[in-house]
Amino acid sequence: EIDSHRVELLGLGRKLALLPASSLEKYERPEHNYVVGWSRGREKFRGVEDVAKGSWYANGLYAEPAQNESDTLKAKYPASTAEPLWPTSD
C-alpha cells in the first residue's frame, strides 16, 4: 500500500513542478524562508540560483504541525509550525 501511495505522490510532484511559475508562486512562503510549501530557485549552487529542481516542504506527520502547542511556540518557530499553502485544482 505504501508503494502505491509513493508512486502516486511522485506523479503529483511532477505535475506540480510542471505548473507555470505564476501558479507555483502562490504556494511559496517567503515569510518562512521558503522552508514550507513550494521552493524553486531560492537556493544557490556555486553562487547561482538553483532552478534545476523544485522542492515541496511539508510536515508529513501532522496536518497542522503545532495543533496542540502554545501560541508562544508558534511565534518562536513559525517556519517549523506553519502549514504549507496546499495546491488547489485551479
Side-chain angles (χ1 to χ4, degrees), residues 17 20 55 64 69 73 86:
S55 299
E64 184 183 340
E69 302 299 332
L73 184 61
W86 293 104

Side-chain angles (χ1 to χ4, degrees), residues 29 32 36-37 57-59 62-66 78-86:
R29 301 290 300 268
H32 295 301
V36 179
Y57 299 101
N59 186 317
Y62 305 102
E64 184 183 340
S80 297
T81 57
E83 181 81 12
L85 302 172
W86 293 104

Side-chain angles (χ1 to χ4, degrees), residues 70-79 81:
S70 70
D71 289 336
T72 303
L73 184 61
K74 291 178 183 181
K76 188 173 182 180
Y77 303 105
T81 57

